[in-house]
């Protein structure tokens, strides 16, 4: 069984995460000559501890662990899975799959895509219950870092490859198991992230 999908779209989302810092306290000493009772000292300790909690607990800084695309030479074969290979040239993306051993091609120079506008494409094929997913990404701000693919089987984390010299585009790829019932709505979204954890480019298929 074989099926192929091709899409193109763009969008932007952001995510933020905050943590909590820890604090420590010291109890005040009892005043000399019995001028402060133990009960008063205990109450003073509680009041100072409560004030310290309000003033010193602040969100902890978070850091996104950035990945970078694998840089490949023109024509260098990248094996994503047995029978699933991809390579890049200055003209665009080339690939083969187990059921399509003849090379397929997606151009970046034929005028069908605008490299100045964020976008993601999707080419998908299934063979014997496996999905072979890939596409172009291009036009986003910053540097592409990673890709998440939302599928009917869950989120799949794919990989990125680019040519040297920051050409403004690259190729993402991933594989996944296709659940029983058919692949008609298998992929719902492809998000390429930048090195800051934001969205470089995004495709929504439904």
């Amino acid at each position: 069984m074989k099926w192929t999908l091709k899409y193109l779209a763009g969008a932007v989302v952001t995510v933020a995460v905050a943590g909590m810092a820890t604090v420590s306290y010291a109890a005040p000493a009892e005043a000399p000559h019995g001028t402060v009772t133990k009960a008063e000292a205990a109450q003073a300790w509680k009041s100072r501890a409560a004030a310290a909690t309000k003033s010193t607990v602040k969100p902890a800084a978070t850091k996104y662990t950035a990945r970078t695309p694998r840089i490949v030479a023109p024509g260098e074969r990248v094996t994503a899975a047995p029978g699933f290979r991809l390579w890049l040239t200055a003209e665009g993306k080339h690939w083969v799959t187990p059921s399509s051993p003849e090379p397929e091609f997606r151009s970046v120079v034929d005028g069908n895509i605008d490299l100045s506008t964020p976008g993601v494409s999707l080419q998908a094929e299934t063979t014997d219950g496996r999905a072979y997913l890939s596409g172009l990404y291009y036009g986003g701000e910053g540097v592409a870092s990673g890709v998440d693919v939302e599928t009917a089987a869950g989120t799949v984390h794919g990989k990125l490859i680019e040519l040297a010299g920051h050409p403004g585009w690259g190729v993402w790829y991933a594989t996944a198991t296709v659940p029983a019932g058919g692949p008609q709505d298998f992929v719902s979204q492809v998000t390429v992230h930048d090195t800051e954890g934001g969205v470089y480019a995004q495709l929504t298929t439904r």
Side-chain angles (χ1 to χ4, degrees):
M1 177 180 66
K2 172 184 174 182
W3 56 276
T4 303
L5 296 174
K6 296 185 179 180
Y7 303 96
L8 184 62
V12 174
V13 296
T14 58
V15 178
V17 181
M20 296 296 290
T22 58
V23 294
S24 59
Y25 311 99
E30 186 176 329
H33 309 299
T35 57
V36 179
T37 66
K38 291 183 178 180
E40 290 172 333
Q43 182 59 43
W45 185 91
K46 291 180 181 179
S47 297
R48 294 184 185 184
T53 300
K54 293 181 180 179
S55 62
T56 61
V57 177
K58 298 179 181 180
T62 60
K63 183 179 180 180
Y64 174 75
T65 302
R67 296 165 288 172
T68 55
R70 173 181 169 181
I71 303 302
V72 297
E76 179 182 347
R77 267 55 171 175
V78 175
T79 299
F84 183 26
R85 295 186 301 278
L86 306 100
W87 62 99
L88 311 182
T89 64
E91 291 73 31
K93 167 199 172 192
H94 308 253
W95 75 101
V96 296
T97 61
S99 62
S100 299
E102 290 298 319
E104 299 188 62
F105 174 65
R106 184 75 167 89
S107 177
V108 297
V109 297
D110 62 2
N112 287 323
I113 61 174
D114 181 1
L115 295 180
S116 66
T117 301
V120 180
S121 70
L122 166 65
Q123 291 81 49
E125 180 179 314
T126 59
T127 303
D128 297 328
R130 294 291 296 172
Y132 302 92
L133 313 170
S134 62
L136 297 169
Y137 62 85
Y138 49 87
E141 295 185 1
V143 177
S145 176
V147 59
D148 293 333
V149 187
E150 301 299 329
T151 77
T155 302
V156 177
H157 305 293
K159 296 182 180 181
L160 308 180
I161 55 176
E162 290 186 8
L163 294 173
H166 305 290
W169 65 275
V171 166
W172 67 269
Y173 64 89
T175 62
T177 301
V178 179
Q184 287 79 5
D185 296 319
F186 184 61
V187 176
S188 58
Q189 187 168 270
V190 180
T191 304
V192 177
H193 298 282
D194 62 25
T195 53
E196 299 298 322
V199 173
Y200 177 93
Q202 189 174 70
L203 164 71
T204 301
T205 66
R206 63 171 183 266

